[in-house]
């Protein structure tokens, strides 16, 4: 299943494949309620799973709170890539400053992120950085892929940053291609200020 998510705080939509849970970031209370409901739905209510529910809830709340404190306005958690096929991962959206004064956007992006790869996407010129790290859980080790995408917003005054964490990936190049496509699905829309006698309306999505 593929679904288009509308991210109001960022004025864009993005298409996410599979099943994802969107965690609201407007307040701690709303964040915690959403995480608690998600954990109950995914883990179940069996008393024998109480410890697993508590640990999962605590970990997700800490992750969401940290993202919110850092300025994130959207956190999406991947549940399944296809029905019955779990796919752990997360994508966090926030904005970072961008002095977009130069007309040569590609040159400016390369100068700011010399280790990144420049992507020519329909969403706009984008820099991708990546790192393959080792995730340790107890005595176990597994690879963890971390990606960051930086796409200048249409106003050229800020950049949309998408931070992707993918634990236990076996084929990082395939997952990188998948998230390249996800970022490529971003479409911006404008919000117009209403006059005194009309409501606010959004420009039709691209």
């Amino acid at each position: 299943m593929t679904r288009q998510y509308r991210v109001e705080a960022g004025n864009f939509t993005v298409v996410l494949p599979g099943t994802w849970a969107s965690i609201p970031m407007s307040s701690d209370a709303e964040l915690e309620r959403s995480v608690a409901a998600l954990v109950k739905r995914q883990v179940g209510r069996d008393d024998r799973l109480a410890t697993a529910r508590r640990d999962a809830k605590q970990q997700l709340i800490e992750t969401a709170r940290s993202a919110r404190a850092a300025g994130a306005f959207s956190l999406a958690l991947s549940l399944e890539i296809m029905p019955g096929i779990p796919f752990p991962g997360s994508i966090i959206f926030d904005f970072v400053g961008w002095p977009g004064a130069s007309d040569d956007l590609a040159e400016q992006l390369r100068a700011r992120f010399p280790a990144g790869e420049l992507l020519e996407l329909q969403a706009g010129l984008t820099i991708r950085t990546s790192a393959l790290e080792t995730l340790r859980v107890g005595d176990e080790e597994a690879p963890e892929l971390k990606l960051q995408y930086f796409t200048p917003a249409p106003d050229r005054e800020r950049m949309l940053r998408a931070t992707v964490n993918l634990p236990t990936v076996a084929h990082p190049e395939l997952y990188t291609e998948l998230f390249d496509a996800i970022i490529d699905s971003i479409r911006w829309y404008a919000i117009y200020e209403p006059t005194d006698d009309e409501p606010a309306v959004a420009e039709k999505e691209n």
Side-chain angles (χ1 to χ4, degrees):
M1 180 178 68
T2 298
R3 181 180 173 186
Q4 183 183 70
Y5 285 80
R6 187 179 180 94
V7 185
E8 298 286 356
N11 288 8
F12 66 88
T13 61
V14 61
V15 176
L16 298 176
T19 304
W20 292 70
S22 180
I23 305 299
M25 309 291 280
S26 57
S27 70
D28 278 345
E30 189 176 12
L31 181 156
E32 291 179 12
R33 284 195 299 269
S34 180
V35 167
L38 173 63
V39 170
K40 284 183 180 179
R41 187 167 64 248
Q42 293 300 117
V43 179
R45 297 175 178 270
D46 193 315
D47 290 342
R48 292 171 296 181
L49 299 175
T51 299
R53 281 196 302 271
R54 183 179 65 250
D55 292 347
K57 179 180 175 181
Q58 181 178 356
Q59 182 178 4
L60 287 177
I61 287 176
E62 289 177 356
T63 298
R65 280 179 174 171
S66 296
R68 184 170 180 263
F73 55 79
S74 180
L75 166 61
L77 301 173
S78 175
L79 306 178
E80 295 179 326
I81 191 65
M82 294 179 66
I85 303 178
F87 178 60
S90 66
I91 182 168
I92 297 170
F93 290 105
D94 66 347
F95 282 114
V96 295
W98 172 247
S102 172
D103 291 334
D104 193 334
L105 183 57
E107 180 181 348
Q108 199 171 13
L109 284 168
R110 288 193 183 98
R112 181 159 178 177
F113 304 99
E117 181 172 350
L118 185 67
L119 307 175
E120 295 187 13
L121 306 180
Q122 291 189 35
L125 285 177
T126 298
I127 283 283
R128 185 225 307 130
T129 64
S130 62
L132 190 61
E133 301 179 357
T134 299
L135 177 66
R136 291 180 174 83
V137 181
D139 295 331
E140 300 295 324
E141 293 185 355
E144 180 178 30
L145 179 62
K146 295 187 176 183
L147 304 170
Q148 282 197 320
Y149 295 86
F150 297 87
T151 303
D155 59 17
R156 294 288 183 93
E157 295 180 356
R158 55 187 179 165
M159 281 194 296
L160 176 66
R161 175 171 58 186
T163 301
V164 178
N165 287 317
L166 299 171
T168 66
V169 294
H171 302 286
E173 66 282 356
L174 296 180
Y175 288 104
T176 298
E177 290 181 10
L178 171 64
F179 278 87
D180 284 357
I182 289 174
I183 300 303
D184 196 23
S185 75
I186 289 174
R187 296 294 181 270
W188 302 92
Y189 60 89
I191 298 295
Y192 295 100
E193 292 295 330
T195 62
D196 292 338
D197 57 353
E198 66 179 0
V201 296
E203 181 182 1
K204 184 178 179 181
E205 297 165 12
N206 295 337

